[in-house]
Amino acid sequence: MSEALALFASSWFFVAALLAVLSDAFLPLVPSGTLVIAATLHLSDTHTSPFLLGIGVALASFSGDLLLLKFARRGAAWAQRRLERKPGAASAAAHLLAALETKRARTIVVARFVPGGRTVLDLAVGTTDRPPRRFLRWSAVSSAVWATYIVGLGFLNEHTFDTTWLSFAVSCLAATAISAVIARVVQRQRRLARETEAAEPVTVS
């Protein structure tokens, strides 16, 4: 407990990082990954284990999903309007809901790494009448996976490079590149799925 108190009392980086992770479910433009990397690089100053920060990040990430899902379920019309306001968000939501039927685990985990994917997925699930238990179970898993990845990325680069600014720059560039590659793969899969549906013959009874 004393280690946790020292972690959050020593710098505003840690509080800001956790708040960013929680809020970027609602506001995808919040640079949560960047702030988590900055907080990770600051761990050596507080002599704190990255494991503790990882737990905090995972809990904040899951809490953001849980809150947005609750908001979406209580205001399904609001959630639907929000999806329809953004170009491509409605079709992305439909694709994600279809993918949940056959590839639930992979869909939820991958969405966490795609910019805006977490928000679209939470809103999409919130507008349906599906029981949220299975979704939240895999949301918790994806939160832990992402927290391990982003904290581990900062920790690894901190011990690879001699200067903090270089570690920060390399970590941010790597995170951006990985997200871009995953987003490109997801877009390609969506395009192939649309082409397959368009190519299927229409049967007339």
Side-chain angles (χ1 to χ4, degrees):
M1 179 63 71
S2 60
E3 188 179 12
L5 292 176
L7 172 64
F8 299 110
S10 59
S11 174
W12 61 270
F13 270 134
F14 302 107
V15 176
L18 295 188
L19 289 176
V21 171
L22 188 150
S23 63
D24 76 357
F26 297 83
L27 302 169
L29 294 178
V30 174
S32 58
T34 302
L35 289 176
V36 171
I37 290 172
T40 303
L41 297 177
H42 195 64
L43 286 173
S44 57
D45 297 337
T46 60
H47 304 289
T48 306
S49 169
F51 180 71
L52 182 61
L53 178 61
I55 291 176
V57 170
L59 289 175
S61 185
F62 177 72
S63 297
D65 282 357
L66 183 62
L67 288 174
L68 183 54
L69 182 63
K70 285 184 176 292
F71 276 119
R73 283 192 170 273
R74 293 181 179 180
W78 163 82
Q80 191 64 45
R81 287 196 302 271
R82 181 170 177 182
L83 287 172
E84 292 173 352
R85 281 201 302 265
K86 296 182 178 181
S91 61
H95 175 76
L96 287 170
L97 289 176
L100 286 177
E101 297 292 339
T102 57
K103 304 171 183 176
R104 179 181 295 108
R106 190 178 76 175
T107 299
I108 296 174
V109 172
V110 170
R112 180 81 49 175
F113 290 80
V114 177
R118 173 190 181 194
T119 302
V120 173
L121 181 59
D122 290 346
L123 290 173
V125 174
T127 58
T128 69
D129 56 358
R130 303 181 184 191
R133 182 175 300 176
R134 284 186 174 181
F135 171 75
L136 290 174
R137 183 185 308 156
W138 283 107
S139 171
V141 172
S142 69
S143 297
V145 170
W146 186 80
T148 302
Y149 152 75
I150 200 70
V151 173
L153 189 62
F155 184 78
L156 176 64
N157 283 308
E158 181 189 19
H159 289 77
T160 302
F161 301 100
D162 295 332
T163 56
T164 300
W165 70 266
L166 185 57
S167 300
F168 179 74
V170 172
S171 298
C172 291
L173 287 173
T176 302
I178 292 171
S179 295
V181 170
I182 295 175
R184 180 66 63 87
V185 172
V186 170
Q187 289 173 356
R188 182 181 179 185
Q189 290 178 341
R190 285 179 57 194
R191 184 175 65 253
L192 291 175
R194 288 195 300 266
E195 293 174 353
T196 301
E197 292 176 359
E200 289 179 352
V202 178
T203 57
V204 180
S205 57

